[in-house]
Amino acid sequence: MKFIAVLTLLLLNACFLFAQKTFTVSSPSSSVLLQVSQKVDGSLYYAVKFKRKNVIIPSMLGLKFSNPAVTLSAFQITSVDSLTKNETWKPVWGETSSIRNHYKELKLTLIEKSGSDIQVTITFRVFNDGVGFRYEFPQQPNLNHFILADELTQFALTGDHKTFWIPGDYDSNEYLYNTSRLSEIDALTASTQEPDIAVKSVFDANAVQTPLMMKSADGLYISLHEAALINYPAMNLVLDKKNFTFTTHLVPDAAGNKAYLQTPARTPWRTILISDKATDILDSKMILNLNDPSVIDDPSWIKPQKFIGVWWEMHIGKGTWDLASGKHAANTENVKRYIDFASRFGFDGVLVEGWNVGWEDWFGNWKENVFDFITPYSDYDIQYLTAYAKQKGVRIIMHHETSGSVTNYERWMEKAYQYMVDHDMNAVKTGYVGKIIPRGEHHDGQWMVNHYQRVAEKTASYKIMLDAHEPVRSTGLHRTYPNWLASEAARGSEFNNAGKLGMTPEHTTILPFTRLLGGPMDFTPGLFHLQLNQFEKNRTQRVRSTLAKQLALYITMYSPLQMAADLPENYEKYLDAFQFIVDVPVDWDDSRTLEGEPGDFITIVRKAKGKDDWYLGAITDENSRSLKITLDFLETGRKYEAFIYRDSEKADWETNPESYTIEKRVVTSKTKLNIWLANGGGCAIRIIMLPK
Ligand code: NOJ
Ligand code: CA
């Protein structure tokens, strides 16, 4: 087995020996090396090394069109350009207040060789922590409209890496992660073990989604993903287990085509993020750097924020979304109670789900016109609540569940956003539960990718912030559309309440290494009542986390939009712990991952924007752990007061999850902390600079 692997490696490297041309680009610090080679038949291959170790061995580049019917796999190189970029830019909000974009670029201008004369350029950017590349089709006489049958891009890996994967699926990303060798990937079996996912379309046992996280035997952390997914379908990867090579598989449309493009056109960036330290993966800005700058000239209306919501009480059976049940949660009195609570603790927003007519038959009937997004239920006095919220200094967050009827939503969109403006709302949570009707498009196909972008643009034109649930996975577009604060696009906290598998303690130690590499997630942390049979006695589901870990998630799961997901009455029981959620910021000057291992643990510190205060979050999986850290990120010579929210000695997610301890102590940059995290536990620390 080993011998065969070595032989394959030798043969693949031999390809380069017989190559007609080879171009080599090293990253600014020389840690990453890209080699692009062309064989005598005109085919193009790329390979990537990190600190002299192979990461991607020669892998094919190319595309296949169905109309015109051309395979672009052999090329004539007409020009080669290179440049170096070193700039710093400031995001509207984020984990750090400034971002360095430093790379070397190689641009190959090509003509397809078999007679089509189609022009294409491939641009490679080589960063110190990885590589991004994309195909571009300039405007040209021989190519105007064209249809893509697939992309032929491959990622050939060096061995049977440990992999954190979810099934390749055209519609859902709400899976638990599987951890296995590449050779053990079985997407079909994994998906049949997930009965609680509303709509699934897994197409191949060897297919996985990105961001895909891997760890090689020689200690490299490798993530494959894409950046700037615009006017194109999402990329799944199908593994050839004989040689550990992934081939791109784009999400099709209802007719089986992959993408309809018109020149000038370009694909998203294909990204390979690499480090020998897991912590560097979490601190990478490569995906953001590959996205275009913000299109919003005056972003002053965009505000990172925390919110509460008439939400979890429906998920755990206290109330319902629909009116007919007699337990309608979004009634004027109840919403008023949430507004009071938000105002008392300084939250900006109150999400109200189930406010609008249609929830009686919203799911499973696949009717087109269930919701109109402008008609409240009779017991929801929107005029009164708008005025009341305003008086209390709080804003109601709009909810637009489309139930997959996206053409219907497109018809109502403008009216719905105007309705929000008229009622003083400037943030919307959208949702795409179920099959996309009427045509049967997929959640991750080009048509829906364009829809999500249209929503981001239209909401921006009404000065509305966006939180999308059930959309395609994130690819850094929040740089271009900073009003798109967050997406769900993964298994969020709501799955703590879902039937068979729920949410494992390790899930939150994997998400930052996978889904979050593309952008912020509306995970909805902050559950304090961890047995979920509070209102329905037969409910067996529970949150597999300690209460202290729920606090730590506000740091380890970065988002400029953070929910305090539990019910006001549950927070009232633990107001001392709730204080951390009240205090924790959502926008930062600086962030540093102190330690981390996907599937095991993560510790991150962040500095509050414009302040001298730091916040630390540490989480562990199902195993308890001793956190040993020195606070050397603090300013030397200054004293700070630390508020430590940790698991008590007896805490355990299974037997004693709500047991925590809060300590206050003076610390400096020399302080060494030694804190125990329970099974499924965590720790959150607020560190405030004291006056001199
Ligand atoms: C799924 C969303 O993720 C959840 O937050 C929402 O409550 C339901 N859909 C209903 O829209
Ligand atoms: Ca969801």
Side-chain angles (χ1 to χ4, degrees):
M1 176 67 196
K2 218 177 193 165
F3 173 72
I4 295 176
V6 171
L7 197 68
T8 339
L9 266 178
L10 284 175
L11 284 175
L12 285 165
N13 278 328
C15 291
F16 275 157
L17 295 179
F18 298 110
Q20 206 185 15
K21 291 194 187 83
T22 300
F23 307 94
T24 304
V25 186
S26 62
S27 70
S29 74
S30 300
S31 52
V32 174
L33 186 89
L34 168 81
Q35 233 176 8
V36 182
S37 64
Q38 186 175 42
K39 287 205 248 176
V40 270
D41 65 1
S43 55
L44 278 174
Y45 291 77
Y46 76 100
V48 180
K49 290 183 190 204
F50 182 82
K51 296 187 183 166
R52 291 198 208 49
K53 290 180 183 168
N54 285 322
V55 177
I56 304 287
I57 51 180
S59 299
M60 191 166 77
L61 295 162
L63 300 116
K64 195 173 168 197
F65 294 179
S66 58
N67 188 9
V70 185
T71 299
L72 287 83
S73 59
F75 307 91
Q76 185 197 331
I77 301 175
T78 58
S79 71
V80 181
D81 298 289
S82 59
L83 63 85
T84 301
K85 182 114 179 180
N86 187 1
E87 62 173 11
T88 301
W89 58 279
K90 289 191 178 307
V92 174
W93 43 259
E95 293 172 272
T96 57
S97 55
S98 80
I99 293 176
R100 180 149 180 228
N101 183 23
H102 195 191
Y103 61 83
K104 289 197 186 158
E105 181 176 289
L106 169 73
K107 190 178 228 159
L108 301 181
T109 305
L110 311 163
I111 292 187
E112 197 279 317
K113 260 182 75 172
S114 73
S116 75
D117 281 349
I118 290 172
Q119 288 172 39
V120 53
T121 59
I122 310 182
T123 306
F124 298 88
R125 290 188 181 165
V126 187
F127 298 80
N128 290 330
D129 56 358
V131 173
F133 62 90
R134 70 159 25 152
Y135 306 88
E136 285 170 71
F137 303 91
Q139 200 140 24
Q140 51 193 286
N142 291 341
L143 192 66
N144 186 20
H145 292 280
F146 60 107
I147 302 176
L148 219 59
D150 223 322
E151 211 183 289
L152 305 175
T153 310
Q154 294 192 324
F155 303 85
L157 301 158
T158 59
D160 198 3
H161 301 334
K162 181 180 184 183
T163 306
F164 301 86
W165 59 274
I166 57 176
D169 188 317
Y170 299 150
D171 282 287
S172 184
N173 35 41
E174 300 194 347
Y175 290 94
L176 275 180
Y177 284 87
N178 301 276
T179 306
S180 78
R181 297 273 155 203
L182 284 167
S183 57
E184 292 158 353
I185 287 171
D186 181 354
L188 294 173
T189 305
S191 89
T192 56
Q193 287 163 356
E194 296 267 25
D196 305 306
I197 290 178
V199 54
K200 288 188 277 195
S201 32
V202 176
F203 56 93
D204 189 313
N206 293 323
V208 294
Q209 298 189 33
T210 71
L212 181 73
M213 184 71 215
M214 293 170 285
K215 188 179 181 184
S216 70
D218 52 359
L220 295 183
Y221 297 85
I222 306 162
S223 162
L224 304 180
H225 190 36
E226 58 184 315
L229 173 56
I230 285 187
N231 191 28
Y232 206 77
M235 172 179 76
N236 286 298
L237 297 172
V238 180
L239 181 68
D240 178 347
K241 287 182 176 160
K242 285 197 293 294
N243 48 25
F244 309 124
T245 296
F246 279 114
T247 301
T248 302
H249 176 108
L250 301 174
V251 175
D253 77 343
N257 291 316
K258 300 298 171 79
Y260 303 84
L261 299 172
Q262 181 179 349
T263 57
R266 54 195 203 179
T267 71
W269 295 93
R270 276 58 191 100
T271 62
I272 303 147
L273 186 63
I274 318 151
S275 180
D276 45 11
K277 292 198 213 84
T279 51
D280 287 352
I281 297 284
L282 298 190
D283 293 339
S284 173
K285 297 287 175 283
M286 186 177 83
I287 300 255
L288 268 180
N289 278 326
L290 287 168
N291 274 269
D292 287 339
S294 171
V295 294
I296 298 174
D297 293 335
D298 172 14
S300 55
W301 52 274
I302 298 171
K303 190 167 182 246
Q305 59 185 278
K306 288 177 285 186
F307 69 104
I308 59 168
V310 179
W311 179 73
W312 190 236
E313 63 173 86
M314 287 91 95
H315 282 266
I316 58 173
K318 180 184 179 193
T320 61
W321 282 267
D322 69 287
L323 181 65
S325 71
K327 292 203 305 182
H328 184 223
N331 63 72
T332 306
E333 264 322 294
N334 198 32
V335 174
K336 208 173 148 205
R337 180 172 76 98
Y338 277 78
I339 293 173
D340 288 339
F341 189 82
S343 169
R344 177 170 150 214
F345 291 103
F347 286 81
D348 289 294
V350 175
L351 167 72
V352 184
E353 293 201 3
W355 69 279
N356 59 327
V357 169
W359 289 89
E360 276 67 24
D361 64 352
W362 74 289
F363 183 72
N365 296 325
W366 317 125
K367 285 197 212 153
E368 243 203 298
N369 303 321
V370 174
F371 296 113
D372 67 12
F373 313 97
I374 56 167
T375 310
Y377 275 124
S378 54
D379 62 344
Y380 184 74
D381 188 341
I382 191 158
Q383 309 301 352
Y384 172 79
L385 288 167
T386 303
Y388 190 72
K390 194 162 194 159
Q391 179 203 328
K392 290 280 180 175
V394 170
R395 283 193 196 245
I396 294 173
I397 297 181
M398 178 47 102
H399 186 226
H400 289 164
E401 173 57 65
T402 66
S403 65
S405 181
V406 180
T407 39
N408 180 51
Y409 187 43
E410 294 249 354
R411 280 193 289 275
W412 285 99
M413 227 150 66
E414 299 264 358
K415 286 191 202 85
Y417 301 148
Q418 187 55 50
Y419 183 85
M420 285 179 60
V421 172
D422 294 343
H423 294 88
D424 206 31
M425 286 180 244
N426 69 350
V428 63
K429 169 179 169 178
T430 56
Y432 300 92
V433 171
K435 286 194 294 202
I436 305 298
I437 57 170
R439 254 201 338 235
E441 296 297 343
H442 291 295
H443 283 73
D444 296 353
Q446 183 189 23
W447 192 80
M448 282 301 288
V449 164
N450 286 342
H451 167 78
Y452 307 126
Q453 186 191 346
R454 230 167 5 249
V455 172
E457 285 169 350
K458 278 245 174 323
T459 48
S461 73
Y462 286 82
K463 294 196 164 62
I464 289 171
M465 291 171 275
L466 172 63
D467 169 20
H469 274 232
E470 295 86 40
V472 68
R473 44 210 176 258
S474 304
T475 59
L477 286 174
H478 53 292
R479 177 176 181 191
T480 313
Y481 303 106
N483 65 311
W484 191 347
L485 295 183
S487 288
E488 185 189 37
R491 176 176 297 227
S493 182
E494 67 187 22
F495 269 85
N496 279 301
N497 185 45
K500 196 175 154 211
L501 297 183
M503 182 169 285
T504 54
E506 71 165 12
H507 186 65
T508 44
T509 68
I510 301 176
L511 280 173
F513 286 99
T514 50
R515 158 68 182 80
L516 268 68
L517 295 178
M521 176 175 177
D522 184 25
F523 177 80
T524 68
L527 296 176
F528 277 16
H529 195 103
L530 301 162
Q531 285 286 358
L532 300 177
N533 59 357
Q534 211 177 341
F535 302 101
E536 292 177 344
K537 293 291 160 248
N538 296 332
R539 203 174 271 273
T540 53
Q541 293 92 341
R542 59 181 298 162
V543 184
R544 295 178 194 154
S545 156
T546 64
L547 190 151
K549 180 175 180 178
Q550 290 291 310
L551 300 180
L553 294 174
Y554 287 87
I555 305 299
T556 60
M557 301 279 287
Y558 167 69
S559 177
L561 182 72
Q562 290 279 28
M563 186 175 204
D566 216 328
L567 317 184
E569 57 266 43
N570 289 340
Y571 289 135
E572 294 280 4
K573 287 184 229 152
Y574 303 101
L575 281 180
D576 57 352
F578 184 60
Q579 190 60 39
F580 182 82
I581 304 180
V582 172
D583 291 330
V584 70
V586 279
D587 198 11
W588 309 95
D589 271 341
D590 196 8
S591 292
R592 295 181 208 170
T593 305
L594 300 185
E595 45 173 23
E597 184 62 31
D600 295 337
F601 57 87
I602 294 174
T603 304
I604 295 179
V605 288
R606 304 190 193 273
K607 181 175 165 294
K609 196 157 211 168
K611 295 202 172 140
D612 294 311
D613 307 334
W614 288 80
Y615 290 76
L616 178 147
I619 58 168
T620 182
D621 60 2
E622 68 284 0
N623 301 307
S624 67
R625 160 162 221 273
S626 288
L627 176 72
K628 290 193 180 66
I629 40 158
T630 307
L631 304 182
D632 52 11
F633 49 87
L634 299 177
E635 202 176 305
T636 47
R638 294 299 302 255
K639 284 190 176 145
Y640 295 77
E641 180 152 61
F643 301 79
I644 303 174
Y645 300 76
R646 60 172 175 83
D647 296 318
S648 77
E649 286 75 13
K650 294 191 197 96
D652 179 309
W653 75 262
E654 220 170 342
T655 55
N656 198 13
E658 283 147 20
S659 175
Y660 59 87
T661 302
I662 304 175
E663 277 169 72
K664 212 158 78 164
R665 59 180 275 199
V666 173
V667 297
T668 69
S669 62
K670 298 211 176 73
T671 305
K672 290 186 184 2
L673 288 182
N674 197 342
I675 293 172
W676 182 77
L677 313 182
N679 307 341
C683 169
I685 312 181
R686 173 171 180 244
I687 309 171
I688 301 302
M689 190 186 259
L690 293 170
K692 268 190 187 151

